[in-house]
Amino acid sequence: MHHADVMMNEANNGRFYCVYRVSLWAHAVNCLDRHVHTCPERVALIWERDEPGSEFKVTYRQLLEMTCRLGNLLRRHGVKRGDCVTIYMPSCPLAVASMLACARIGAAHNVVFAGFSAEALAERIRDAQSSTVITVNQGVRGGKLTELKKTVDTAVQSCPTVQQVFVAMRTENPVAMTAKDVAMEEVREQKENQTLIKILMPTAEDRKLYFNKRKQLSLFGCGFITMLWLLHVISDNAQEMQKEDVVCEPAAMDSEDVLFLLYTSGSTGKPKGLVHTQAGYLLYAALTHRYVFSYHDGDVFGCVADIGWITGHSYSVYGPLANGGTSVLFESTPIYPDPGRYWEMVQRLKINQFYGAPTAIRLLLKYGNQWVHKYDRSTLKTLGSVGEPINTEAWEWYHTVVGDGRCPVVDTWWQTETGGICITPRPSNPDAEIVPGMAMRPFFGIKPALMDTEGEVLTSNHTSGALCIAQPWPGMARTIHNNHQRFIETYCQPYPGYFFTGDGAYRSKEGYYQITGRLDDVINVSGHRIGTAEIEDVVNQCSQVAESAVIGYSHNIKGEGVYAFVVLKKGMDVEEMDLSRQLNDLVSKKIAKYACPDCIQVNSRLPKTRSGKIMRRVLRKVVEQDLNGLGDLSTLDDPAAVQEIIEVIVNII
Ligand code: WTA
């Protein structure tokens, strides 16, 4: 039975029904071939590389050719429809081509954020049962190199399913190749720019071949000719990508076939691989991209999220490309080489819509207005915010300083699970009011519902509750890979008949929505989602630590910081600095740097209920210094534990 059907039947009492199931769907064709027919020379991607001024443009025709070569390469190496390919690459055209090549041949992709450690990568490869990984030799970010291929080597050692690793070259530095590795590109030239141009630009010969073959396609029918092309004689002296044909027959897919998995954090330790499908996801990404940002033909869309997150998937890749747009892929950081980077890029690339995270806005605000005023931002039309609540100060600064008060700011609420934006202002409706710091109104087809603690729907306005969605929408995730039960338990069972988002929200008198934050043990550090249980698991692996409790606390740049309460094993005495270094090393090795604790507090015990559950609610209140709001402490096993924590915190602060 089908995932969506299962979900409907099992958990939703028939309230969810799948209205968007259509027959066959050749997915990557919608993002590429369609536009190559009408505007082959339009720029699809602007790769804003780490060094400002070294951007690289890729047209629709070039992107289609790269995708086809890669699709053929994957097929030749045995990747089949229904397989899952893990992509561990920073934002770059080849990463986009890798995603689209998977879609083209009917394989699912699983992009893992290139900031994740070897262990985090391995966990995701194993769970996805990938036999193929695509990576680059090194990453370049903020002027520094990261050893991505080496990370993959370490990860693959604990992934018995992996049979092959495709390696592209982002820099010219050679990397050690193992028996499983396949070099994707030839690197002859020594100068970086030339190397990359050679990699990305098909030759005039290729182009001729492509157009001739398209003609043959229409003349003789697809199937037979395609088979001949797949058997095409491969020239001996080229590297793998160059050997491949620039035409690759797209797989015909069912609308509900899997398009990709994307791992995200939940409230338990194990990350979950959310499954998105072909038709609904693409439709929703394209529609929201067009209407939420008021995207028009010819606009340059600048989403600065990494492709390793859902924002990169929907608004750097699928949404803009399905709309035939020009999308910027940002490789750098907001402060490299200086805090004017975003706005210098806006001026140079003539960006029309800019989409970023509040954490970066808060950081840049601190550096002062001069970094913004230095550059011409007159091309900007819409400013977007995503990933975490945007405080009023940051919203106002974004609006008045960055946008000169001209550009609507769209605070877009959504999740990995929702596939695309769900609650947001919509500038294409010019009469609609936008209140600073509010996500405002549901997008077409989204029916939000707020629930009270009894599980009843709150019907009035000026009220807060658990945010649910009352009917399905095209972009919703269909299941958790290999764990449909967890999907049902997490999203469908808390409020039967509704999709539970895990967030709380306030609905104003006027009926506008404001997201108030997570209701579970998921926190948002610099816009990156992480489960506190994931961090606790790692902290507890430290040889000196007996147990720990991790909570999020309000941080004026990151939005939320990581606060770790630690109880040491009996007889352990460790210097604070030493412990902090050990825990940071461990967390960056096991998860990623962004998950490292900002504050570590050693206590002799943690506040627990009589049944042994750590009372994180109490810890949160103590850290917020809201001692009157500690609430009911009668279930505490040992009230003195709270007193001890309060005393230590007072000393720290
Ligand atoms: C939070 C990112 C407030 C929220 C697209 C959600 C937000 C989680 C907003 C999803 C917003 C996202 N205002 N909070 N505009 N957008 N969030 O899966 O808690 O990485 O549940 O998707 O980020 O994070 P995810």
Side-chain angles (χ1 to χ4, degrees):
M1 204 198 280
H2 204 274
H3 290 319
D5 305 336
V6 174
M7 193 182 83
M8 173 184 78
N9 294 337
E10 277 176 16
N12 295 290
N13 311 329
R15 284 192 59 154
F16 279 17
Y17 51 96
C18 193
V19 287
Y20 36 83
R21 188 157 187 172
V22 292
S23 55
L24 292 176
W25 191 267
H27 192 280
V29 174
N30 280 300
C31 290
L32 297 175
D33 307 47
R34 215 154 50 90
H35 312 307
V36 172
H37 278 297
T38 53
C39 48
E41 300 312 319
R42 181 182 291 174
V43 174
L45 301 174
I46 304 178
W47 183 15
E48 172 68 4
R49 291 192 288 167
D50 197 43
E51 276 315 310
S54 69
E55 74 272 13
F56 193 91
K57 295 182 176 160
V58 180
T59 65
Y60 272 95
R61 183 181 42 71
Q62 290 166 340
L63 186 59
L64 175 62
E65 290 169 355
M66 279 167 77
T67 302
C68 287
R69 280 180 195 276
L70 202 39
N72 288 332
L73 179 65
L74 294 174
R75 270 190 182 144
R76 182 159 62 82
H77 282 261
V79 179
K80 296 182 305 298
R81 185 192 174 97
D83 289 353
C84 177
V85 174
T86 295
I87 298 173
Y88 186 69
M89 294 168 111
S91 295
C92 63
L94 206 54
V96 175
S98 302
M99 293 162 77
L100 294 172
C102 290
R104 196 164 188 95
I105 65 171
H109 57 71
N110 166 33
V111 182
V112 177
F113 172 55
F116 274 123
S117 66
E119 290 200 25
L121 171 63
E123 189 179 7
R124 286 157 178 78
I125 294 175
R126 280 195 301 267
D127 192 80
Q129 297 145 305
S130 280
S131 56
T132 304
V133 178
I134 310 181
T135 191
V136 295
N137 64 335
Q138 291 180 310
V140 186
R141 195 159 177 267
K144 297 193 194 95
L145 297 177
T146 45
E147 300 298 333
L148 299 186
K149 165 67 167 60
K150 282 194 188 143
T151 308
V152 172
D153 287 344
T154 313
V156 163
Q157 281 169 13
S158 60
C159 299
T161 51
V162 174
Q163 284 161 8
Q164 51 194 354
V165 177
F166 292 94
V167 185
M169 300 296 283
R170 167 61 184 90
T171 65
E172 301 107 62
N173 304 330
V175 279
M177 298 291 269
T178 71
K180 287 182 176 171
D181 297 337
V182 182
M184 281 161 79
E185 304 152 320
E186 189 178 23
V187 184
R188 277 204 222 104
E189 339 272 342
Q190 282 314 300
K191 283 205 190 112
E192 193 189 16
N193 278 357
Q194 286 172 11
T195 306
L196 286 156
I197 287 168
K198 205 172 70 54
I199 292 165
L200 293 169
M201 297 288 236
T203 60
E205 254 330 279
D206 291 335
R207 223 162 289 154
K208 251 196 289 163
L209 198 72
Y210 173 75
F211 282 106
N212 288 343
K213 286 189 174 175
R214 287 212 70 86
K215 264 193 237 146
Q216 291 174 31
L217 227 187
S218 47
L219 283 178
F220 301 112
C222 318
F224 179 59
I225 298 296
T226 308
M227 254 173 54
L228 285 184
W229 289 336
L230 289 176
L231 296 172
H232 190 68
V233 184
I234 289 159
S235 87
D236 275 332
N237 54 5
Q239 283 286 327
E240 299 302 305
M241 281 280 279
Q242 272 99 346
K243 286 179 189 173
E244 298 299 337
D245 202 330
V246 288
V247 175
C248 171
E249 175 70 0
M253 305 299 285
D254 186 282
S255 60
E256 287 295 304
D257 280 338
V258 176
L259 173 61
F260 65 84
L261 314 187
L262 186 59
Y263 282 83
T264 190
S265 296
S267 45
T268 65
K270 200 171 141 46
K272 43 197 176 185
L274 285 157
V275 174
H276 280 285
T277 53
Q278 302 275 330
Y281 170 80
L282 188 68
L283 167 74
Y284 200 68
L287 207 67
T288 46
H289 171 250
R290 186 172 288 280
Y291 289 107
V292 172
F293 298 99
S294 209
Y295 186 85
H296 288 84
D297 261 7
D299 284 349
V300 177
F301 189 77
C303 167
V304 288
D306 191 278
I307 53 148
W309 309 111
I310 190 71
T311 309
H313 280 56
S314 301
Y315 301 107
S316 293
V317 182
Y318 286 108
L321 296 183
N323 286 325
T326 299
S327 175
V328 175
L329 297 173
F330 186 64
E331 189 182 42
S332 195
T333 81
I335 51 168
Y336 182 77
D338 59 46
R341 176 60 187 262
Y342 278 168
W343 325 122
E344 184 273 328
M345 171 178 80
V346 164
Q347 171 181 294
R348 180 164 35 84
L349 305 183
K350 301 190 170 40
I351 290 176
N352 300 111
Q353 291 87 7
F354 182 87
Y355 194 27
T359 186
I361 304 299
R362 283 191 293 267
L363 177 69
L364 297 179
L365 180 158
K366 299 251 179 302
Y367 282 99
N369 299 357
Q370 71 277 16
W371 290 106
V372 187
H373 289 151
K374 226 172 136 180
Y375 302 104
D376 175 11
R377 288 150 285 109
S378 57
T379 51
L380 286 173
K381 293 193 281 191
T382 312
L383 297 170
S385 165
V386 60
E388 40 169 335
I390 179 163
N391 48 314
T392 317
E393 187 194 5
W395 193 101
E396 295 286 4
W397 187 80
Y398 203 23
H399 184 243
T400 52
V401 179
V402 176
D404 287 326
R406 288 181 302 107
C407 309
V409 172
V410 292
D411 174 11
T412 61
W413 174 85
W414 59 298
Q415 314 177 292
T416 306
E417 291 84 344
T418 68
I421 295 164
C422 288
I423 305 183
T424 177
R426 191 162 51 80
S428 43
N429 175 2
D431 301 330
E433 184 188 12
I434 302 181
V435 182
M438 290 190 96
M440 302 302 292
R441 287 170 291 269
F443 189 71
F444 308 142
I446 301 294
K447 284 216 167 136
L450 297 183
M451 304 293 181
D452 66 12
T453 45
E454 311 293 305
E456 295 299 322
V457 179
L458 292 159
T459 48
S460 58
N461 282 352
H462 190 39
T463 185
S464 297
L467 178 63
C468 290
I469 304 182
Q471 65 178 30
W473 63 103
M476 75 185 296
R478 303 295 197 266
T479 185
I480 291 173
H481 179 66
N482 268 345
N483 202 345
H484 192 60
Q485 191 52 34
R486 186 174 176 196
F487 184 84
I488 298 292
E489 283 165 12
T490 313
Y491 305 110
C492 305
Q493 277 173 357
Y495 301 95
Y498 293 83
F499 177 90
F500 175 48
T501 65
D503 279 317
Y506 163 72
R507 187 167 53 225
S508 72
K509 286 197 195 81
E510 300 80 12
Y512 302 150
Y513 288 86
Q514 178 171 33
I515 311 304
T516 48
R518 299 288 307 192
L519 299 173
D520 53 12
D521 291 317
V522 171
I523 58 175
N524 223 309
V525 182
S526 308
H528 297 338
R529 179 172 159 174
I530 181 88
T532 52
E534 273 175 79
I535 307 176
E536 283 168 15
D537 274 359
V538 174
V539 170
N540 293 345
Q541 287 170 33
C542 173
S543 58
Q544 339 235 14
V545 171
E547 63 174 342
S548 66
V550 168
I551 58 164
Y553 72 100
S554 167
H555 187 288
N556 58 5
I557 302 284
K558 296 179 174 188
E560 275 183 292
V562 177
Y563 204 116
F565 291 89
V566 171
V567 177
L568 297 180
K569 283 185 185 153
K570 286 245 153 28
M572 288 285 177
D573 187 18
V574 52
E575 284 277 315
E576 222 171 85
M577 285 299 286
D578 220 30
L579 181 68
S580 142
R581 194 181 37 75
Q582 281 186 39
L583 292 183
N584 281 342
D585 285 354
L586 206 59
V587 175
S588 18
K589 185 163 161 267
K590 303 260 175 190
I591 310 176
K593 277 217 178 74
Y594 74 84
C596 288
D598 298 280
C599 290
I600 298 169
Q601 179 177 330
V602 178
N603 283 87
S604 69
R605 60 212 145 150
L606 296 171
K608 289 187 185 167
T609 61
R610 274 178 219 116
S611 58
K613 272 185 101 175
I614 298 171
M615 291 180 82
R616 291 185 179 72
R617 168 180 65 83
V618 172
L619 294 175
R620 267 184 230 117
K621 289 290 175 193
V622 175
V623 171
E624 283 165 17
Q625 294 182 284
D626 179 11
L627 299 187
N628 295 330
L630 290 179
D632 179 11
L633 298 180
S634 61
T635 55
L636 264 181
D637 183 32
D638 174 11
V642 180
Q643 203 45 46
E644 182 195 315
I645 283 172
I646 295 173
E647 277 160 23
V648 180
I649 287 202
V650 169
N651 285 338
I652 291 178
I653 296 164

